mmCIF file of all heavy atoms in Angstrom:
data_model
loop_
_atom_site.group_PDB
_atom_site.id
_atom_site.type_symbol
_atom_site.label_atom_id
_atom_site.label_comp_id
_atom_site.label_asym_id
_atom_site.label_seq_id
_atom_site.Cartn_x
_atom_site.Cartn_y
_atom_site.Cartn_z
ATOM 1 N N VAL A 100 -14.032 16.933 29.284
ATOM 2 C CA VAL A 100 -14.404 15.720 28.518
ATOM 3 C C VAL A 100 -15.922 15.590 28.438
ATOM 4 O O VAL A 100 -16.540 15.380 27.401
ATOM 5 C CB VAL A 100 -13.754 14.464 29.052
ATOM 6 C CG1 VAL A 100 -14.358 13.238 28.426
ATOM 7 C CG2 VAL A 100 -12.268 14.473 28.874
ATOM 8 N N LEU A 101 -16.533 15.724 29.635
ATOM 9 C CA LEU A 101 -18.047 15.554 29.683
ATOM 10 C C LEU A 101 -18.758 16.589 28.884
ATOM 11 O O LEU A 101 -19.777 16.298 28.209
ATOM 12 C CB LEU A 101 -18.433 15.559 31.131
ATOM 13 C CG LEU A 101 -18.016 14.378 32.001
ATOM 14 C CD1 LEU A 101 -18.413 14.591 33.467
ATOM 15 C CD2 LEU A 101 -18.627 13.069 31.483
ATOM 16 N N ASN A 102 -18.247 17.795 28.897
ATOM 17 C CA ASN A 102 -18.856 18.873 28.055
ATOM 18 C C ASN A 102 -18.778 18.575 26.585
ATOM 19 O O ASN A 102 -19.707 18.790 25.800
ATOM 20 C CB ASN A 102 -18.248 20.215 28.393
ATOM 21 C CG ASN A 102 -18.671 20.812 29.705
ATOM 22 O OD1 ASN A 102 -19.661 20.319 30.318
ATOM 23 N ND2 ASN A 102 -17.943 21.778 30.277
ATOM 24 N N HIS A 103 -17.552 18.086 26.191
ATOM 25 C CA HIS A 103 -17.309 17.733 24.802
ATOM 26 C C HIS A 103 -18.244 16.635 24.336
ATOM 27 O O HIS A 103 -18.852 16.704 23.239
ATOM 28 C CB HIS A 103 -15.835 17.327 24.632
ATOM 29 C CG HIS A 103 -15.398 17.201 23.231
ATOM 30 N ND1 HIS A 103 -15.627 16.026 22.475
ATOM 31 C CD2 HIS A 103 -14.736 18.069 22.389
ATOM 32 C CE1 HIS A 103 -15.136 16.254 21.244
ATOM 33 N NE2 HIS A 103 -14.574 17.462 21.183
ATOM 34 N N ILE A 104 -18.404 15.618 25.155
ATOM 35 C CA ILE A 104 -19.276 14.464 24.838
ATOM 36 C C ILE A 104 -20.739 14.939 24.721
ATOM 37 O O ILE A 104 -21.426 14.565 23.767
ATOM 38 C CB ILE A 104 -19.113 13.370 25.901
ATOM 39 C CG1 ILE A 104 -17.764 12.732 25.843
ATOM 40 C CG2 ILE A 104 -20.225 12.303 25.707
ATOM 41 C CD1 ILE A 104 -17.523 11.740 26.935
ATOM 42 N N SER A 105 -21.113 15.774 25.636
ATOM 43 C CA SER A 105 -22.545 16.219 25.649
ATOM 44 C C SER A 105 -22.811 17.034 24.390
ATOM 45 O O SER A 105 -23.886 16.836 23.741
ATOM 46 C CB SER A 105 -22.783 17.122 26.916
ATOM 47 O OG SER A 105 -24.078 17.633 26.903
ATOM 48 N N GLU A 106 -21.961 17.942 23.995
ATOM 49 C CA GLU A 106 -22.139 18.792 22.792
ATOM 50 C C GLU A 106 -22.119 17.920 21.588
ATOM 51 O O GLU A 106 -22.957 18.123 20.624
ATOM 52 C CB GLU A 106 -21.071 19.888 22.754
ATOM 53 C CG GLU A 106 -21.210 20.937 23.768
ATOM 54 C CD GLU A 106 -20.168 21.984 23.631
ATOM 55 O OE1 GLU A 106 -19.848 22.336 22.477
ATOM 56 O OE2 GLU A 106 -19.626 22.456 24.696
ATOM 57 N N LEU A 107 -21.232 16.958 21.485
ATOM 58 C CA LEU A 107 -21.164 16.066 20.334
ATOM 59 C C LEU A 107 -22.402 15.189 20.229
ATOM 60 O O LEU A 107 -22.910 15.033 19.138
ATOM 61 C CB LEU A 107 -19.909 15.252 20.413
ATOM 62 C CG LEU A 107 -19.443 14.518 19.172
ATOM 63 C CD1 LEU A 107 -19.413 15.428 17.932
ATOM 64 C CD2 LEU A 107 -18.114 13.878 19.382
ATOM 65 N N ARG A 108 -22.872 14.688 21.342
ATOM 66 C CA ARG A 108 -24.043 13.915 21.343
ATOM 67 C C ARG A 108 -25.291 14.693 20.881
ATOM 68 O O ARG A 108 -26.121 14.234 20.103
ATOM 69 C CB ARG A 108 -24.299 13.285 22.699
ATOM 70 C CG ARG A 108 -23.580 12.040 23.004
ATOM 71 C CD ARG A 108 -23.866 11.479 24.360
ATOM 72 N NE ARG A 108 -23.358 10.119 24.513
ATOM 73 C CZ ARG A 108 -23.018 9.587 25.698
ATOM 74 N NH1 ARG A 108 -23.123 10.346 26.830
ATOM 75 N NH2 ARG A 108 -22.568 8.417 25.778
ATOM 76 N N ASN A 109 -25.330 15.928 21.305
ATOM 77 C CA ASN A 109 -26.446 16.795 20.902
ATOM 78 C C ASN A 109 -26.420 17.076 19.359
ATOM 79 O O ASN A 109 -27.445 17.107 18.704
ATOM 80 C CB ASN A 109 -26.378 18.117 21.653
ATOM 81 C CG ASN A 109 -26.766 18.038 23.107
ATOM 82 O OD1 ASN A 109 -27.480 17.082 23.475
ATOM 83 N ND2 ASN A 109 -26.332 18.889 23.959
ATOM 84 N N LEU A 110 -25.225 17.205 18.852
ATOM 85 C CA LEU A 110 -25.087 17.403 17.387
ATOM 86 C C LEU A 110 -25.552 16.186 16.627
ATOM 87 O O LEU A 110 -26.339 16.288 15.632
ATOM 88 C CB LEU A 110 -23.659 17.711 17.043
ATOM 89 C CG LEU A 110 -23.156 19.131 17.208
ATOM 90 C CD1 LEU A 110 -21.650 19.189 16.978
ATOM 91 C CD2 LEU A 110 -23.862 20.132 16.351
ATOM 92 N N ILE A 111 -25.125 15.030 17.065
ATOM 93 C CA ILE A 111 -25.517 13.816 16.387
ATOM 94 C C ILE A 111 -27.025 13.607 16.446
ATOM 95 O O ILE A 111 -27.656 13.191 15.442
ATOM 96 C CB ILE A 111 -24.813 12.586 17.067
ATOM 97 C CG1 ILE A 111 -23.271 12.726 16.848
ATOM 98 C CG2 ILE A 111 -25.300 11.220 16.508
ATOM 99 C CD1 ILE A 111 -22.453 11.749 17.684
ATOM 100 N N GLN A 112 -27.618 13.816 17.616
ATOM 101 C CA GLN A 112 -29.045 13.580 17.742
ATOM 102 C C GLN A 112 -29.921 14.654 17.054
ATOM 103 O O GLN A 112 -30.919 14.315 16.473
ATOM 104 C CB GLN A 112 -29.394 13.525 19.284
ATOM 105 C CG GLN A 112 -28.799 12.326 19.961
ATOM 106 C CD GLN A 112 -28.995 12.376 21.481
ATOM 107 O OE1 GLN A 112 -29.527 13.327 22.002
ATOM 108 N NE2 GLN A 112 -28.547 11.304 22.137
ATOM 109 N N SER A 113 -29.467 15.909 17.081
ATOM 110 C CA SER A 113 -30.281 16.959 16.504
ATOM 111 C C SER A 113 -30.210 16.966 14.992
ATOM 112 O O SER A 113 -31.210 17.256 14.313
ATOM 113 C CB SER A 113 -29.807 18.316 17.041
ATOM 114 O OG SER A 113 -28.451 18.572 16.672
ATOM 115 N N LYS A 114 -29.063 16.646 14.408
ATOM 116 C CA LYS A 114 -28.919 16.671 12.961
ATOM 117 C C LYS A 114 -29.538 15.421 12.301
ATOM 118 O O LYS A 114 -29.866 15.458 11.084
ATOM 119 C CB LYS A 114 -27.436 16.826 12.573
ATOM 120 C CG LYS A 114 -26.918 18.197 12.876
ATOM 121 C CD LYS A 114 -25.481 18.324 12.429
ATOM 122 C CE LYS A 114 -24.908 19.734 12.671
ATOM 123 N NZ LYS A 114 -25.652 20.749 11.862
ATOM 124 N N LYS A 115 -29.661 14.316 13.041
ATOM 125 C CA LYS A 115 -30.356 13.093 12.545
ATOM 126 C C LYS A 115 -29.731 12.579 11.256
ATOM 127 O O LYS A 115 -30.434 12.154 10.367
ATOM 128 C CB LYS A 115 -31.801 13.356 12.376
ATOM 129 C CG LYS A 115 -32.506 13.810 13.643
ATOM 130 C CD LYS A 115 -34.006 14.006 13.417
ATOM 131 C CE LYS A 115 -34.710 14.524 14.692
ATOM 132 N NZ LYS A 115 -34.520 13.676 15.877
ATOM 133 N N GLU A 116 -28.403 12.681 11.108
ATOM 134 C CA GLU A 116 -27.748 12.178 9.890
ATOM 135 C C GLU A 116 -27.048 10.805 10.176
ATOM 136 O O GLU A 116 -26.824 10.121 9.192
ATOM 137 C CB GLU A 116 -26.681 13.162 9.514
ATOM 138 C CG GLU A 116 -27.219 14.534 9.051
ATOM 139 C CD GLU A 116 -26.094 15.498 8.694
ATOM 140 O OE1 GLU A 116 -25.239 15.797 9.573
ATOM 141 O OE2 GLU A 116 -26.073 15.972 7.528
ATOM 142 N N PHE A 117 -26.807 10.497 11.419
ATOM 143 C CA PHE A 117 -26.147 9.246 11.726
ATOM 144 C C PHE A 117 -26.898 8.521 12.827
ATOM 145 O O PHE A 117 -27.706 9.124 13.589
ATOM 146 C CB PHE A 117 -24.688 9.511 12.209
ATOM 147 C CG PHE A 117 -23.889 10.343 11.209
ATOM 148 C CD1 PHE A 117 -23.551 11.622 11.501
ATOM 149 C CD2 PHE A 117 -23.480 9.774 10.037
ATOM 150 C CE1 PHE A 117 -22.837 12.385 10.592
ATOM 151 C CE2 PHE A 117 -22.710 10.473 9.137
ATOM 152 C CZ PHE A 117 -22.420 11.780 9.389
ATOM 153 N N ILE A 118 -26.646 7.238 12.972
ATOM 154 C CA ILE A 118 -27.289 6.458 14.053
ATOM 155 C C ILE A 118 -26.494 6.697 15.396
ATOM 156 O O ILE A 118 -25.356 6.378 15.432
ATOM 157 C CB ILE A 118 -27.200 4.943 13.695
ATOM 158 C CG1 ILE A 118 -28.025 4.715 12.387
ATOM 159 C CG2 ILE A 118 -27.741 4.120 14.831
ATOM 160 C CD1 ILE A 118 -27.878 3.264 11.888
ATOM 161 N N PRO A 119 -27.180 7.297 16.349
ATOM 162 C CA PRO A 119 -26.497 7.644 17.551
ATOM 163 C C PRO A 119 -25.769 6.432 18.255
ATOM 164 O O PRO A 119 -24.706 6.622 18.814
ATOM 165 C CB PRO A 119 -27.599 8.192 18.479
ATOM 166 C CG PRO A 119 -28.593 8.765 17.468
ATOM 167 C CD PRO A 119 -28.560 7.778 16.326
ATOM 168 N N GLY A 120 -26.376 5.286 18.204
ATOM 169 C CA GLY A 120 -25.829 4.114 18.875
ATOM 170 C C GLY A 120 -24.508 3.656 18.247
ATOM 171 O O GLY A 120 -23.781 2.815 18.899
ATOM 172 N N ALA A 121 -24.163 4.133 17.058
ATOM 173 C CA ALA A 121 -22.922 3.728 16.393
ATOM 174 C C ALA A 121 -21.723 4.506 16.856
ATOM 175 O O ALA A 121 -20.572 4.235 16.401
ATOM 176 C CB ALA A 121 -23.071 3.799 14.899
ATOM 177 N N PHE A 122 -21.939 5.451 17.765
ATOM 178 C CA PHE A 122 -20.815 6.219 18.343
ATOM 179 C C PHE A 122 -20.587 5.797 19.767
ATOM 180 O O PHE A 122 -21.466 5.753 20.597
ATOM 181 C CB PHE A 122 -21.245 7.718 18.291
ATOM 182 C CG PHE A 122 -21.434 8.302 16.940
ATOM 183 C CD1 PHE A 122 -22.586 8.133 16.228
ATOM 184 C CD2 PHE A 122 -20.381 8.969 16.301
ATOM 185 C CE1 PHE A 122 -22.746 8.608 14.946
ATOM 186 C CE2 PHE A 122 -20.530 9.492 15.022
ATOM 187 C CZ PHE A 122 -21.713 9.284 14.345
ATOM 188 N N HIS A 123 -19.281 5.421 19.972
ATOM 189 C CA HIS A 123 -18.932 4.960 21.250
ATOM 190 C C HIS A 123 -17.901 5.905 21.916
ATOM 191 O O HIS A 123 -16.785 6.145 21.378
ATOM 192 C CB HIS A 123 -18.288 3.558 21.161
ATOM 193 C CG HIS A 123 -19.154 2.642 20.344
ATOM 194 N ND1 HIS A 123 -20.401 2.099 20.865
ATOM 195 C CD2 HIS A 123 -19.043 2.135 19.122
ATOM 196 C CE1 HIS A 123 -20.939 1.343 19.943
ATOM 197 N NE2 HIS A 123 -20.167 1.369 18.854
ATOM 198 N N PHE A 124 -18.259 6.481 23.072
ATOM 199 C CA PHE A 124 -17.403 7.424 23.724
ATOM 200 C C PHE A 124 -16.622 6.719 24.896
ATOM 201 O O PHE A 124 -17.206 6.279 25.877
ATOM 202 C CB PHE A 124 -18.207 8.539 24.418
ATOM 203 C CG PHE A 124 -19.087 9.271 23.383
ATOM 204 C CD1 PHE A 124 -20.298 8.829 22.918
ATOM 205 C CD2 PHE A 124 -18.586 10.477 22.830
ATOM 206 C CE1 PHE A 124 -21.021 9.560 21.989
ATOM 207 C CE2 PHE A 124 -19.319 11.199 21.887
ATOM 208 C CZ PHE A 124 -20.538 10.716 21.441
ATOM 209 N N LEU A 125 -15.317 6.563 24.654
ATOM 210 C CA LEU A 125 -14.545 5.672 25.531
ATOM 211 C C LEU A 125 -13.320 6.448 25.994
ATOM 212 O O LEU A 125 -12.649 7.243 25.217
ATOM 213 C CB LEU A 125 -14.081 4.413 24.819
ATOM 214 C CG LEU A 125 -15.161 3.511 24.223
ATOM 215 C CD1 LEU A 125 -14.523 2.347 23.460
ATOM 216 C CD2 LEU A 125 -16.082 3.018 25.286
ATOM 217 N N PRO A 126 -12.836 6.229 27.242
ATOM 218 C CA PRO A 126 -11.599 6.721 27.666
ATOM 219 C C PRO A 126 -10.474 5.843 27.214
ATOM 220 O O PRO A 126 -10.671 4.626 26.915
ATOM 221 C CB PRO A 126 -11.673 6.707 29.196
ATOM 222 C CG PRO A 126 -12.580 5.501 29.462
ATOM 223 C CD PRO A 126 -13.550 5.441 28.303
ATOM 224 N N ILE A 127 -9.228 6.355 27.150
ATOM 225 C CA ILE A 127 -8.117 5.527 26.693
ATOM 226 C C ILE A 127 -7.921 4.366 27.689
ATOM 227 O O ILE A 127 -7.418 3.292 27.264
ATOM 228 C CB ILE A 127 -6.819 6.355 26.585
ATOM 229 C CG1 ILE A 127 -5.791 5.592 25.744
ATOM 230 C CG2 ILE A 127 -6.352 6.816 27.899
ATOM 231 C CD1 ILE A 127 -4.615 6.466 25.336
ATOM 232 N N ASP A 128 -8.304 4.494 28.956
ATOM 233 C CA ASP A 128 -8.136 3.441 29.914
ATOM 234 C C ASP A 128 -8.978 2.245 29.534
ATOM 235 O O ASP A 128 -8.747 1.121 30.020
ATOM 236 C CB ASP A 128 -8.566 3.933 31.312
ATOM 237 C CG ASP A 128 -7.494 4.750 31.924
ATOM 238 O OD1 ASP A 128 -6.400 4.929 31.375
ATOM 239 O OD2 ASP A 128 -7.811 5.436 32.990
ATOM 240 N N TYR A 129 -10.012 2.385 28.724
ATOM 241 C CA TYR A 129 -10.812 1.247 28.232
ATOM 242 C C TYR A 129 -9.927 0.231 27.584
ATOM 243 O O TYR A 129 -10.037 -0.970 27.769
ATOM 244 C CB TYR A 129 -11.913 1.732 27.311
ATOM 245 C CG TYR A 129 -12.708 0.626 26.628
ATOM 246 C CD1 TYR A 129 -13.857 0.122 27.264
ATOM 247 C CD2 TYR A 129 -12.272 -0.082 25.487
ATOM 248 C CE1 TYR A 129 -14.577 -0.890 26.705
ATOM 249 C CE2 TYR A 129 -12.980 -1.157 24.943
ATOM 250 C CZ TYR A 129 -14.119 -1.579 25.573
ATOM 251 O OH TYR A 129 -14.850 -2.580 25.011
ATOM 252 N N VAL A 130 -9.054 0.751 26.666
ATOM 253 C CA VAL A 130 -8.113 -0.146 25.954
ATOM 254 C C VAL A 130 -7.103 -0.764 26.912
ATOM 255 O O VAL A 130 -6.821 -1.953 26.883
ATOM 256 C CB VAL A 130 -7.347 0.652 24.828
ATOM 257 C CG1 VAL A 130 -6.358 -0.299 24.124
ATOM 258 C CG2 VAL A 130 -8.368 1.171 23.858
ATOM 259 N N ILE A 131 -6.574 0.033 27.804
ATOM 260 C CA ILE A 131 -5.590 -0.457 28.791
ATOM 261 C C ILE A 131 -6.147 -1.555 29.671
ATOM 262 O O ILE A 131 -5.502 -2.594 29.932
ATOM 263 C CB ILE A 131 -5.057 0.733 29.681
ATOM 264 C CG1 ILE A 131 -4.311 1.722 28.799
ATOM 265 C CG2 ILE A 131 -4.190 0.222 30.782
ATOM 266 C CD1 ILE A 131 -3.911 2.997 29.498
ATOM 267 N N LEU A 132 -7.423 -1.419 30.074
ATOM 268 C CA LEU A 132 -8.005 -2.412 31.014
ATOM 269 C C LEU A 132 -8.590 -3.563 30.309
ATOM 270 O O LEU A 132 -8.681 -4.689 30.888
ATOM 271 C CB LEU A 132 -9.086 -1.710 31.830
ATOM 272 C CG LEU A 132 -8.697 -0.593 32.791
ATOM 273 C CD1 LEU A 132 -9.884 0.051 33.412
ATOM 274 C CD2 LEU A 132 -7.710 -1.093 33.829
ATOM 275 N N ASN A 133 -8.969 -3.431 29.033
ATOM 276 C CA ASN A 133 -9.580 -4.555 28.313
ATOM 277 C C ASN A 133 -8.738 -5.342 27.408
ATOM 278 O O ASN A 133 -9.205 -6.342 26.852
ATOM 279 C CB ASN A 133 -10.801 -4.001 27.532
ATOM 280 C CG ASN A 133 -11.987 -3.684 28.437
ATOM 281 O OD1 ASN A 133 -12.708 -4.585 28.823
ATOM 282 N ND2 ASN A 133 -12.116 -2.451 28.811
ATOM 283 N N SER A 134 -7.499 -4.952 27.237
ATOM 284 C CA SER A 134 -6.553 -5.765 26.432
ATOM 285 C C SER A 134 -5.496 -6.359 27.372
ATOM 286 O O SER A 134 -4.782 -5.640 28.090
ATOM 287 C CB SER A 134 -5.845 -4.880 25.366
ATOM 288 O OG SER A 134 -4.875 -5.674 24.716
ATOM 289 N N PRO A 135 -5.387 -7.693 27.313
ATOM 290 C CA PRO A 135 -4.325 -8.324 28.150
ATOM 291 C C PRO A 135 -2.903 -8.095 27.682
ATOM 292 O O PRO A 135 -1.961 -8.507 28.329
ATOM 293 C CB PRO A 135 -4.667 -9.825 28.000
ATOM 294 C CG PRO A 135 -5.432 -9.905 26.707
ATOM 295 C CD PRO A 135 -6.160 -8.675 26.508
ATOM 296 N N HIS A 136 -2.766 -7.374 26.521
ATOM 297 C CA HIS A 136 -1.441 -7.118 25.942
ATOM 298 C C HIS A 136 -0.802 -5.824 26.391
ATOM 299 O O HIS A 136 0.364 -5.658 26.183
ATOM 300 C CB HIS A 136 -1.564 -7.159 24.453
ATOM 301 C CG HIS A 136 -2.134 -8.452 23.881
ATOM 302 N ND1 HIS A 136 -1.351 -9.587 23.660
ATOM 303 C CD2 HIS A 136 -3.421 -8.767 23.519
ATOM 304 C CE1 HIS A 136 -2.128 -10.520 23.227
ATOM 305 N NE2 HIS A 136 -3.377 -10.052 23.112
#
Side-chain angles (χ1 to χ4, degrees):
V100 169
L101 292 173
N102 286 343
H103 191 276
I104 292 173
S105 178
E106 289 182 38
L107 193 50
R108 276 182 170 152
N109 286 339
L110 280 173
I111 294 169
Q112 293 173 356
S113 64
K114 289 183 177 294
K115 302 184 184 301
E116 295 176 301
F117 306 108
I118 298 173
F122 295 83
H123 309 288
F124 300 85
L125 305 176
I127 196 168
D128 285 351
Y129 175 93
V130 178
I131 293 174
L132 296 176
N133 284 279
S134 174
H136 303 276

